[in-house]
Amino acid sequence: MKLVRHGPAGTERPGLVDAQGRIRDLSAHVDDIAGKTLSDEGLARIAALDPASLPLVDEGTRIGPCVGQVGKFVCIGLNYSDHAAESGLDVPPEPIVFMKATSAICGPDDGIELPRGSVATDWEVELAVVIGRHAKYVSEADALSHVAGYCVANDVSERDFQTKRAGQWTKGKSADTFGPLGPWLVTRDEVGDPQALDLWLDLNGKRMQTGSTATMIFGVAKVISYLSQMMSLHPGDVISTGTPPGVGMGIKPAPVYLKPGDRLALGIEGLGTQTQLVRAAD
């Protein structure tokens, strides 16, 4: 299934995408695409519904982030060896973990706001994993059974805030609009192997990133198992799993960063696409 959240920011309603690509409203059946709805049992109840019996949502309705009430937004850094190389950093011996503020989460097409003082805001197309049931000390073999589904993420990053200011990467990753998620949450049964998905990103119509999750250093199952040794993962938690090469900071001879008026388009095979207009902070 493809699950969505639609409507104005902050008051999104749950929905699903029918076989014709139309959004159907789920409000009569679930409160949100969050919490217990993301369990295997919750998803099975939605799957048992006849989409034709659900109200159609008006075309042109805003699409919000595909999961609500996110408790944790966990990210994995340098998880593609070629991205580590373009960043001038060694391949990590174990996953690099940082957090992104949940207030950064926005809809897939809401646009990106450059924070005040930004001179180095960058793009990163990533596969995001949404947890469906509590995971603590899980094995790698059992890890994927804890996944509700997958979606597209753009791990937008202010590189100067991230690397030239004292402290952790989080401060360069957490500005408002720096976490577009969606358009859809695609359930794990429909995705199949998360290590066989193509990713891409265009800047102003020019292809900048092309990659495959097959080249991750630490695959999705490894990442979930690893994180669960250090923290409990709860339904609705989001894990962004790293980006392939082609980010702005890696461009030679001089990096390229986002400026007002730029347009991004990005997507992952089977998970849909995002489009973002870059704007200056108010």
Side-chain angles (χ1 to χ4, degrees):
M1 290 185 296
K2 296 181 176 70
L3 301 176
V4 298
R5 298 171 71 246
H6 60 92
T11 60
E12 293 92 346
R13 297 159 65 93
L16 62 77
V17 180
D18 68 17
Q20 289 74 43
R22 300 171 299 187
I23 298 175
R24 300 276 183 166
D25 186 70
L26 282 170
S27 299
H29 301 276
V30 298
D31 293 332
D32 201 356
I33 308 300
K36 293 181 179 179
T37 299
L38 297 169
S39 68
D40 287 351
E41 296 77 16
L43 295 174
R45 285 193 290 271
I46 295 174
L49 298 172
D50 177 9
S53 70
L54 303 172
L56 277 169
V57 174
D58 291 340
E59 291 187 24
T61 297
R62 171 185 174 269
I63 302 300
C66 58
V67 59
Q69 305 173 44
V70 175
K72 292 190 289 295
F73 196 167
V74 189
C75 300
I76 306 300
L78 302 178
N79 200 21
Y80 290 74
S81 58
D82 33 14
H83 173 54
E86 73 174 353
S87 302
L89 299 169
D90 294 334
V91 172
E94 57 184 271
I96 292 175
V97 179
F98 62 92
M99 308 296 280
K100 198 174 183 86
T102 55
S103 55
I105 295 172
C106 64
D109 306 319
D110 285 347
I112 294 169
E113 180 181 283
L114 301 177
R116 293 179 182 177
S118 169
V119 295
T121 295
D122 206 347
W123 56 84
E124 295 189 26
V125 60
E126 303 198 5
L127 172 68
V129 180
V130 178
I131 297 297
R133 66 184 176 97
H134 180 251
K136 183 176 182 180
Y137 301 130
V138 301
S139 68
E140 193 170 339
D142 189 42
L144 295 185
S145 70
H146 295 262
V147 173
Y150 303 90
C151 65
V152 181
N154 188 355
D155 177 21
V156 186
S157 309
E158 213 301 336
R159 301 300 189 187
D160 280 8
F161 294 3
Q162 176 187 355
T163 63
K164 296 182 180 180
R165 307 281 285 268
Q168 298 181 341
W169 288 3
T170 299
K171 64 178 64 177
K173 299 283 189 170
S174 296
D176 292 351
T177 74
F178 272 26
L181 295 177
W184 316 313
L185 172 64
V186 184
T187 52
R188 72 172 190 270
D189 60 303
E190 187 167 325
V191 172
D193 183 4
Q195 305 306 147
L197 303 174
D198 293 332
L199 308 86
W200 59 272
L201 180 144
D202 293 347
L203 171 64
N204 298 324
K206 180 181 178 181
R207 183 59 45 93
M208 307 302 288
Q209 289 189 275
T210 303
S212 169
T213 58
T215 64
M216 282 184 185
I217 299 167
F218 306 106
V220 172
K222 173 66 177 180
V223 165
I224 294 170
S225 176
Y226 180 88
L227 291 174
S228 78
Q229 312 306 310
M230 301 177 181
M231 65 185 82
S232 286
L233 300 172
H234 296 98
D237 285 350
V238 175
I239 305 168
S240 202
T241 57
T243 195
V247 299
M249 67 179 280
I251 294 175
K252 303 294 189 294
V256 173
Y257 294 119
L258 295 173
K259 61 187 185 300
D262 282 345
R263 293 184 178 274
L264 291 173
L266 56 146
I268 300 178
E269 177 186 359
L271 303 186
T273 60
Q274 302 183 355
T275 57
Q276 288 132 19
L277 176 64
V278 180
R279 63 185 184 273
D282 295 333

